[in-house]
Structures are given as C-alpha cells and as structure tokens.
Amino acid sequence: MAKLVSKTYGDALFELALEKNIVDSAYEEAAAVKQVFLDNEELIKLLNHPKIDKEDKIQVIENIFKGNVSDDFTGFLTVIVKKDRHNDIYSILDYFIARVKEYKKIGVAYVVTAVELSDSMKKDVEIKLLDTTSYSKFEMNYTVDQSLIGGMVIRIGDRVVDSSIKTKLDELSRDLLKTRLA
C-alpha cells in the first residue's frame, strides 16, 4: 500500500514539475524538504499526533515552508497532510527524487569492494558504468566489505553484478557438492 501511495503522489508531483517546466527546482526543493523532516523529528511527531487538528497541522506546514519553497510545493505538502498521508512523506519524496534522477538519466550505483579503491580506480569504474549503461551521470557510493576477498559487487537499481571472489568460491563449492564421484 505504501508503494502505491508514494507512486501516486510522487507521479503527481513529477507530472506537475514537467508541466510547469520546474523539474530541477522541484528536485532541489524535494531534497531540501526531506532534509528538514530528517533533521526535525519533532515535526513528524507533530504531524502524527492524533489530538492535533488537521487544520493546525496544515498551518504548521504553511508556516514552515511558505516562502522557503515554491507555492506549488507548499500546496503539495498541504495536500499530503489533508489526505492523512504524512506518514508516507519520506517514501513520496524518495520516489519523486528517484523519478527525477531516472528522467535526467542519473544513475545511482552502489559499489562494494574488498579493499578501498584509489581515486583513479573509482573514476575507471564510473567511466565503465557510463559506457555500459544508458545513464549520462552517476552518483557513486563506495563501501568496503573484506569478506568479499577480492573483486566487487555493483548494484544499480534492481540490477546486481557480482564478480567477487567470495561468490565465485560459493558457486564452485555448490558445483562440487552436486558432482557425484563414480
């Protein structure tokens, strides 16, 4: 259900941004608004409080965001509160941000390696990903997991390329267990 809510509202915001030709500014506002909610847990608690009237919640949203983000975005946030979807604000904003990145052909790659990569190696990985995908830019996220032994695991969306030695050893072990000795 939460995915449907985030998709519905995220798509509505995306269509509005496209229609008004404000995709870039809406993207920046969505990221800023998400950060405001992340930095102020009390705001989420206030919006979730059952004894606070909906009109008061809308007034709080307008007081915080009016003048700091566009009127369209403030209106969007008030609609979310009016429809009691404030619990889904993070997922709605995340969906919208991901939708804009896809529209602008910005990929998000998560690269896990057994050892820390040098800057030139990181650049090589990014260039290889740009050459082998339809993206024009990447947001790269690197982490180290020594249990991989060697190689790397790259995840872009729901696609995973696993060339780690750990996985190759696991596959070899499974194959050996399947093999019968005569």
Side-chain angles (χ1 to χ4, degrees):
M1 179 70 170
K3 271 190 168 182
L4 180 61
V5 169
S6 60
K7 181 178 178 353
T8 302
Y9 285 87
D11 282 342
L13 181 57
F14 182 74
E15 295 302 323
L16 174 71
L18 271 181
E19 181 181 309
K20 293 195 170 195
N21 200 23
I22 56 168
V23 173
D24 291 335
S25 62
Y27 171 81
E28 290 171 12
E29 288 177 342
V33 166
K34 181 181 175 193
Q35 195 59 50
V36 167
F37 280 105
L38 288 171
D39 291 344
N40 301 288
E41 291 180 25
E42 298 299 316
L43 181 56
I44 291 291
K45 288 179 184 175
L46 180 132
L47 292 177
N48 288 327
H49 200 286
K51 293 187 177 180
I52 297 177
D53 187 49
K54 195 180 292 189
E55 292 305 316
D56 292 336
K57 293 176 184 179
I58 291 169
Q59 190 63 46
V60 167
I61 291 294
E62 288 177 348
N63 289 343
I64 293 171
F65 294 106
K66 199 166 194 90
N68 294 316
V69 295
S70 67
D71 290 343
D72 289 330
F73 212 92
T74 304
F76 178 75
L77 292 172
T78 58
V79 167
I80 289 173
V81 173
K82 282 180 188 174
K83 300 288 186 180
D84 290 321
R85 297 298 186 193
H86 40 77
N87 283 333
D88 300 309
I89 191 90
Y90 293 121
S91 61
I92 292 168
L93 293 173
D94 284 342
Y95 179 87
F96 172 74
I97 289 168
R99 181 90 194 267
V100 171
K101 285 180 182 176
E102 200 63 37
Y103 173 75
K104 295 177 70 82
K105 298 212 175 285
I106 300 171
V108 179
Y110 297 91
V111 180
V112 183
T113 56
V115 295
E116 184 73 30
L117 296 179
S118 68
D119 289 341
S120 67
M121 293 169 91
K122 288 178 180 179
K123 192 68 179 162
D124 290 344
V125 169
E126 186 175 354
I127 289 169
K128 185 69 171 171
L129 290 176
L130 288 169
D131 289 344
T132 57
T133 64
S134 62
Y135 294 109
S136 60
K137 182 179 175 186
F138 268 100
E139 289 180 8
M140 303 297 292
N141 300 286
Y142 293 96
T143 55
V144 174
D145 179 359
Q146 293 177 344
S147 72
L148 294 181
I149 305 169
M152 66 178 61
V153 178
I154 302 172
R155 183 173 62 83
I156 303 169
D158 59 355
R159 295 170 291 195
V160 177
V161 176
D162 188 342
S163 64
S164 67
I165 292 176
K166 177 183 178 186
T167 298
K168 292 185 188 307
L169 287 173
D170 288 344
E171 289 171 358
L172 182 61
S173 176
R174 279 193 302 273
D175 289 345
L176 286 173
L177 287 173
K178 290 180 188 175
T179 306
R180 290 187 185 191
L181 295 175

